[in-house]
Amino acid sequence: MRRLLVAGAVVLAGLTGVAIGQENYPTKPVTVVVPFAAGGPTDTVTRLIAEPMSKTLGQQIVVQNVAGAGGTLAAGQVARAQPDGYTILMHHIGMSTAPTLYKNLPYDPLKDLATIGLVTEVPMTIIARKDFEPGTMEELVQYVKDHKDQVTYANAGIGAASHLCGLLLMKEIGVEVTTVPYQGTGPALTDLVGGQVDFMCDQTTNTTGQIKSGEVKAYAVTTGERLQSLPDLPTAAEAGLPGFEVSVWHGLYAPAGTPEPILEKLSAALKDALKDENVVKRFAELGTAPVSEDLATPAAHTERLTSQIELWRPIIQEAGVSAQ
Ligand code: ASP
């Protein structure tokens, strides 16, 4: 009887501890894992929203870059982390392509991770080193066809947005070129500016500055409309690739099993961050915008992830690409 009582007290104390923990959450800094190197788009978006999110949460947000394997290394790490709200993940469209691309993906995006909310949808740009011979998109297509054995395309690994854009582009052009994988857009862009690789396709968040300063050559933006931030840059359709549209959505995740109230607190902090004046202004300068409030929720994010996994599966299968 005594033992039973003691056991009951322990269970009760444990439950109360959990409830109190959720109520007071967060009581220490929250780590947000970025699945690519520092200085790239996912890193930029994360750092921009981290500050206002930490204001709402009343705790510091620490950004940790865990690059590798097209973002799957970090996603696996967060999927296995304690589901207590202190380790979360920022990822992008790659979350929806990895299940088809990776044969031995060590996590299931829909089962092992919980969604917090969508953040932003970023256009991409097709760019090259500044002295790359082709001057227009039409010339680029012809040049790549004529020099397919020499040209090099930089990306941030299999499943990265830059990899997907390259896949679609090569499908359009009808050739395959040598791809050079990096740990993220940060180091890839450094090499493009330095002339070590020929061309790439990446988010405006990290190409706008280099395009405007002339450090890289830009051919087209991958949206249906031109961007206010880069008004002279034609859309891919205007530049001769009708229907070539791709943008990169970003979202926040926590390990599956994270208590609902914690996910709600994180989603609320995200919504606040997306209304923050500096975030709205900087996003606009970088060619993007925060998603509407109804998309910064676990439910809307799960819906997007589910439909995107379905959307990308046949495209990737048809392209015949895969990773280990
Ligand atoms: N933009 C990169 C990609 O191609 C990753 C990054 O550095 O954010 O997915």
Side-chain angles (χ1 to χ4, degrees):
M1 177 67 184
R2 207 166 148 237
R3 214 180 288 147
L4 260 184
L5 268 179
V6 172
V10 168
V11 168
L12 193 68
L15 282 177
T16 315
V18 170
I20 287 172
Q22 290 175 24
E23 191 119 305
N24 296 343
Y25 170 85
T27 56
K28 58 179 185 180
V30 173
T31 297
V32 51
V33 178
V34 168
F36 296 102
T42 318
D43 187 66
T44 299
V45 166
T46 307
R47 288 176 199 272
L48 278 172
I49 64 155
E51 203 198 306
M53 269 188 85
S54 78
K55 252 187 232 154
T56 301
L57 292 171
Q59 282 292 337
Q60 204 195 340
I61 294 191
V62 179
V63 177
Q64 188 189 4
N65 297 84
V66 180
T72 60
L73 212 68
Q77 181 178 307
V78 175
R80 290 187 302 273
Q82 279 297 324
D84 55 9
Y86 291 102
T87 307
I88 61 174
L89 171 77
M90 172 76 83
H91 205 343
H92 64 16
I93 194 167
M95 190 64 115
S96 62
T97 56
T100 311
L101 282 167
Y102 285 80
K103 282 195 191 74
N104 301 309
L105 195 66
Y107 59 91
D108 180 330
L110 290 166
K111 288 198 187 118
D112 299 327
L113 289 146
T115 50
I116 294 169
L118 293 162
V119 179
T120 181
E121 191 126 16
V122 188
M124 301 191 91
T125 44
I126 300 167
I127 56 175
R129 60 180 163 84
K130 63 174 184 298
D131 52 355
F132 198 38
E133 288 79 345
T136 63
M137 190 69 215
E138 288 90 333
E139 287 171 20
L140 175 71
V141 170
Q142 197 51 52
Y143 189 90
V144 171
K145 276 185 186 162
D146 295 344
H147 301 82
K148 63 177 178 5
D149 296 328
Q150 286 108 59
V151 295
T152 51
Y153 177 86
N155 70 29
I158 293 184
S162 41
H163 170 240
L164 293 176
C165 187
L167 265 187
L168 298 176
L169 193 56
M170 293 315 134
K171 200 172 149 204
E172 243 354 279
I173 301 178
V175 294
E176 271 183 42
V177 299
T178 304
T179 54
V180 185
Y182 289 84
Q183 300 269 345
T185 300
L189 252 186
T190 304
D191 269 11
L192 191 79
V193 170
Q196 276 90 16
V197 272
D198 293 327
F199 74 122
M200 63 189 284
C201 171
D202 221 296
Q203 288 113 292
T204 54
T205 38
N206 290 68
T207 61
T208 304
Q210 279 85 349
I211 293 172
K212 284 191 164 162
S213 66
E215 282 174 288
V216 298
K217 189 178 266 186
Y219 297 106
V221 62
T222 64
T223 40
E225 306 277 318
R226 286 191 185 208
L227 301 179
Q228 270 177 18
S229 47
L230 292 166
D232 299 334
L233 195 61
T235 65
E238 285 173 329
L241 297 177
F244 189 88
E245 281 184 37
V246 49
S247 60
V248 183
W249 54 271
H250 291 258
L252 280 175
Y253 302 82
T258 303
E260 213 61 46
I262 291 182
L263 294 175
E264 285 307 328
K265 273 191 186 172
L266 287 164
S267 169
L270 170 63
K271 282 182 195 145
D272 282 352
L274 297 181
K275 284 186 288 206
D276 179 83
E277 236 176 71
N278 181 52
V279 168
V280 174
K281 180 174 153 276
R282 286 294 293 141
F283 273 21
E285 286 165 358
L286 300 175
T288 188
V291 296
S292 60
E293 200 170 285
D294 55 323
L295 293 179
T297 64
H301 188 177
T302 299
E303 201 181 306
R304 171 71 61 94
L305 178 60
T306 311
S307 64
Q308 285 275 299
I309 290 174
E310 293 312 316
L311 179 95
W312 283 102
R313 185 178 295 124
I315 301 173
I316 293 165
Q317 283 170 344
E318 202 191 310
V321 231
S322 66
Q324 283 313 304

